[in-house]
Amino acid sequence: MAAMQPSRRSVLATLALTAGSVALSGTSMASALAQTSPDPTKPRTKPVIFVVGDSTSSAYQQSERPRAGWGQALPLLLGPQATVFDYAWSGASSKSFADAGLLDRVLALMQPGDYLLISFGHNDEKVSDPSRGTLPDSTYKEYLGRYIDGARARGGKPVLVTSVERRRFDSFGTAQDSHGAYPQAVRDLAAATGTPLVDLTVSSKELWQKMGPEGTKRQFLFLAPGEHPQYPQGSEDNTHFQAAGALSVARLVARELQQKEIVPPGYFLNIDAGTDPLMAMFWPSERPVDVPGTLDVGPGKAFATVQAAVDSIPSGSTQRTVIRIQPGTYREALRVPANKPRVSLVGQGSRPEDVLLVFNNASGTPKPDGSGNYGTSGSASVRIDGPDFVARNLTISNDFDEAANMGMKDRQAVALHITADRSVLSQVRLLGNQDTLLVNSPGAGVPARFYFDRCYVEGDVDFIFGRGTAVFSACEIKSLDRGSTTNNGYVTAGSQDLSIKYGYLFDQCRLVSDAARDSVHLGRPWHPSGDPKAVAQVLVRDSWLGAHISGSPWTDMSGFSWREARFHEYNNRGPGAQVTPDRPQLPGPEAGNYTVRNYLQGTDGWAPQLEGTTADCSVVPSAPAA
């Protein structure tokens, strides 16, 4: 089932209350509140094409895929000369958008040379709703004039875009008009003010006529039951688009911008490219227009501990909560339960080392209530079960002292235990010894996906382990030196159920160590409780391997042969990247099946690796290009 969203009216009330109170200092609205970043008002070398409008042009979040607006598809058509920021708001009219302060927010981000594509009308037509309705020859033009004047005052270039036509056909299969006098009002205003015009009403009606009643179903949000997991009951929607339709309408907009020379030549280089929009488009975890809640932790802030901030979040909240953590050390066993999704932990220091979340329980540490020991999974300094979790720019550590506790039988000490599906950790350091990082899932055979982007993980024995699916992209993986000349541990101990195709992918990583040459194994197969269906899957590809990696890097565990696991390498380099009979290499023809996308997409098409790329319409560049 698609995630429940707040009503348009409740969102309007929230935005109205916060209008003008948020300083936009980041990229998307969520990251503007989530992190410190360069001031976006500093001069940029790439113009931004801002899109404001209603649901037909807006960007949608991952839980609503494949629904998309044409502004969300527009980046797929651009060349390198400009970017797109889609701040359109589903349900908005020219009036409600401006009244909520959203126009002011967009104008605050605009710089000379930027474009403002203005496309309202669907909800202006709802004159029975006083918060949205406008009259075509008076208030509609008056509100649109505010957008034009505001963009010009910022040195920007306003462009009026008439509303895209709905899917309306008569009994003879003839496409029908559905917007009454509103498109002509836009044309008249464009002529009166000298504002460039994209007549999307005309071009979309012509396109729908060409496609016909049945062909247009592949453009609009017509989905069979079970076709997409976000819409298990299916959908029959004559107004909103799926990915293919959003791209088709974006092409109409781009062509007219180009043909009328509203933008310089070369802006849209990919109009006719054979793009698969469902795979190429980016759906963010939240819409750009959504405002996250923010909580501040640290000296002099509202919360002294991170756990106190987490505890204050209402259970079942669908709004992202950004917990901004001031530099310092936070010694606490932190838990984010499954009923608190969409939590972001964001370090406010200048580097990940500035914020340290740390505790020192081990598997053999007795619980204070006398009910036994913590066990491996319970020893975690930080445990995350709430889905759609984000962590950025901080360190998570378990500093249990193995040397000082040699009398303890079980000394596994987890830094992070995570089961939260669709989690992203970026520039996070994970520190420990044995069992540093437990990438887990809610149960055997239940998928959970994690994206580690430019992270650092260190440990010695099985320090990346569990049954989850995890991609480590451009990460540094450090094996600690245990002082042995022959065995300094194992990087991985995967335990994926055979029903889970993808386990761990190390892509463009660096595996480093100060340990002796040929003394560290890439992994061994962990079969919890002897489960024969728990068969590790690990691929190390396009990575640099230090000399510490053994020439026979995979080894047996608890009587289970590594040769029966799913272990492979592909296209690695460095002194530890030998090719021997004991090092299975992924066959070249299969390399395209084991990519970051394939590991992460699951059934819902999750693609966090596209965030911040040219496909991302939720980002405003916040620093000048080099």
Side-chain angles (χ1 to χ4, degrees), residues 581-620:
D582 285 341
R583 304 186 73 150
Q585 302 294 307
L586 187 70
E590 294 186 28
N593 297 324
Y594 290 86
T595 61
V596 172
R597 176 183 292 279
N598 286 345
Y599 272 73
L600 296 177
Q601 66 183 353
T603 59
D604 60 6
W606 188 52
Q609 74 279 4
L610 294 179
E611 182 178 1
T613 69
T614 55
D616 187 355
C617 70
S618 67
V619 175
V620 177

Side-chain angles (χ1 to χ4, degrees), residues 380-597:
S381 298
V382 175
R383 174 161 180 165
I384 308 295
D385 295 310
D388 296 294
F389 171 77
V390 171
R392 301 187 192 278
N393 192 40
L394 50 78
T395 298
I396 299 173
S397 172
N398 190 318
D399 62 357
F400 172 75
D401 191 338
E402 288 185 343
N405 291 275
M406 295 303 292
M408 184 181 291
K409 178 184 176 182
D410 300 313
R411 298 191 298 275
Q412 299 93 336
V414 176
L416 173 64
H417 179 181
I418 187 165
T419 71
D421 191 27
R422 296 185 304 271
S423 289
V424 176
L425 294 91
S426 179
Q427 294 183 297
V428 171
R429 299 169 73 240
L430 301 165
L431 312 180
N433 291 98
Q434 183 172 357
D435 293 2
T436 303
L437 172 59
L438 173 49
V439 284
N440 215 352
S441 76
V446 179
R449 297 156 293 170
F450 316 102
Y451 182 51
F452 295 86
D453 173 34
R454 295 165 293 154
C455 291
Y456 171 88
V457 188
E458 73 172 29
D460 46 39
V461 175
D462 305 332
F463 63 96
I464 299 174
F465 72 114
R467 60 180 174 240
T469 295
V471 167
F472 298 87
S473 178
C475 294
E476 183 169 317
I477 312 298
K478 183 170 184 178
S479 295
L480 299 177
D481 185 359
R482 299 197 301 168
S484 172
T485 58
T486 58
N487 185 357
N488 282 293
Y490 318 88
V491 176
T492 68
S495 59
Q496 289 77 27
D497 189 89
L498 274 173
S499 64
I500 306 295
K501 181 176 182 179
Y502 298 109
Y504 306 157
L505 171 63
F506 296 87
D507 180 57
Q508 301 183 64
C509 292
R510 286 179 56 84
L511 278 68
V512 302
S513 181
D514 298 324
R517 185 181 187 90
D518 202 40
S519 67
V520 173
H521 293 89
L522 287 176
R524 55 184 183 170
W526 178 36
H527 292 258
S529 302
D531 182 1
K533 295 181 180 179
V535 181
Q537 194 279 325
V538 181
L539 171 61
V540 182
R541 66 174 298 170
D542 300 300
S543 294
W544 188 92
L545 278 57
H548 63 295
I549 298 299
S550 171
S552 299
W554 311 103
T555 189
D556 301 343
M557 185 177 187
S558 302
F560 289 91
S561 171
W562 71 264
R563 295 183 184 277
E564 296 175 1
R566 298 172 284 177
F567 292 146
H568 289 92
E569 297 177 71
Y570 180 77
N571 196 36
N572 294 319
R573 60 196 186 280
Q578 309 169 47
V579 177
T580 72
D582 285 341
R583 304 186 73 150
Q585 302 294 307
L586 187 70
E590 294 186 28
N593 297 324
Y594 290 86
T595 61
V596 172
R597 176 183 292 279

Side-chain angles (χ1 to χ4, degrees), residues 280-356:
M281 201 179 301
F282 175 60
W283 280 266
S285 58
E286 288 82 33
R287 300 171 300 174
V289 76
D290 289 336
V291 179
T294 58
L295 304 173
D296 288 300
V297 175
K301 300 299 181 181
F303 299 94
T305 68
V306 182
Q307 188 66 60
V310 171
D311 291 345
S312 74
I313 300 170
S315 297
S317 172
T318 59
Q319 180 187 38
R320 178 160 295 278
T321 300
V322 178
I323 300 176
R324 302 184 294 200
I325 309 171
Q326 297 302 309
T329 297
Y330 299 83
R331 182 166 289 279
E332 53 183 305
L334 175 63
R335 301 292 182 263
V336 178
N339 62 0
K340 296 192 177 183
R342 299 182 182 273
V343 172
S344 294
L345 303 180
V346 183
Q348 298 297 289
S350 60
R351 55 181 190 155
E353 292 87 341
D354 293 340
V355 173
L356 174 62

